Amino acid sequence: MIHWAGSLKDQHAPTAKWLAAGTAALVVFNTGISLFGRSVVEKVLHEVREKSAPHHDQR
């Protein structure tokens, strides 16, 4: 999407059009980075909780 917005600017599209496209592209990009980062945090927290939890299956 970021490339698409840049190509609109290169094609001399109206400023409002490529600016809106660029803003939308950055929102989508940042959302993806945020979701990925959050998933890493949740995975690490899950692994820490699993290691620190007592296991009841030991006999």
Side-chain angles (χ1 to χ4, degrees), residues 14-35:
T15 303
K17 185 174 182 177
W18 64 259
L19 188 63
T23 301
L26 289 174
V27 167
V28 170
F29 180 76
N30 285 328
T31 300
I33 294 294
S34 178
L35 289 172

Side-chain angles (χ1 to χ4, degrees), residues 37-53:
R38 187 65 191 173
S39 69
V40 171
V41 168
E42 291 297 325
K43 181 179 186 296
V44 169
L45 289 174
H46 175 74
E47 289 176 358
V48 167
R49 287 185 203 116
E50 287 292 314
K51 282 185 178 180
S52 65

